[in-house]
Amino acid sequence: QPYGPKSDIWSLGCCAYEMATLEHAFKAGDISSLVLKVVRGQTPTLPSANAYSSELVQLINDMLSKDAENRPSAKQILQKPYVKQHVSRLFEKTKARCQPY
């Protein structure tokens, strides 16, 4: 499929997976093997240990969907209560640090 916004969402899913697990979403020795793993291999999922919230697991799974039509848009991601909560908390912390004394 041609490159588009849903490709960026897939890439964001790979980054989120790697930040959560500290491992590459797709491991391969060379670019050809990597392409085959991405296209034909199984989509990685976060380990089932209780280290991750169900919301984070679902978000990453949705972003890594092989079918681009099933991936959320950036707007849909930002509208998720789970994401809004964390963005709001980050904003408040940042705003507090920027307040003059």
Side-chain angles (χ1 to χ4, degrees), residues 59 62 72 75-85:
L59 178 60
D62 291 347
K75 183 177 181 178
Q76 289 170 322
I77 291 170
L78 291 171
Q79 290 174 338
K80 290 185 180 289
Y82 173 77
V83 174
K84 287 172 88 171
Q85 171 191 357

Side-chain angles (χ1 to χ4, degrees), residues 11-93:
S11 296
L12 180 60
C14 288
C15 291
Y17 178 92
E18 291 178 16
M19 287 189 292
T21 64
L22 302 177
E23 295 181 7
H24 293 294
F26 298 93
K27 297 175 189 156
D30 57 61
I31 192 70
S32 298
S33 299
L34 179 62
V35 169
L36 286 175
K37 279 199 169 191
V38 168
V39 174
R40 296 185 185 158
Q42 191 160 4
T43 301
T45 56
L46 290 175
S48 59
N50 292 331
Y52 309 102
S53 69
S54 60
E55 294 92 342
L56 179 62
V57 171
Q58 188 61 54
L59 178 60
I60 291 175
N61 288 343
D62 291 347
M63 290 190 293
L64 290 177
S65 175
K66 286 196 185 229
D67 183 355
E69 292 302 314
N70 291 335
R71 290 181 211 139
S73 66
K75 183 177 181 178
Q76 289 170 322
I77 291 170
L78 291 171
Q79 290 174 338
K80 290 185 180 289
Y82 173 77
V83 174
K84 287 172 88 171
Q85 171 191 357
H86 288 284
V87 169
S88 177
R89 195 166 29 162
L90 176 63
F91 175 72
E92 291 303 321
K93 284 182 178 181

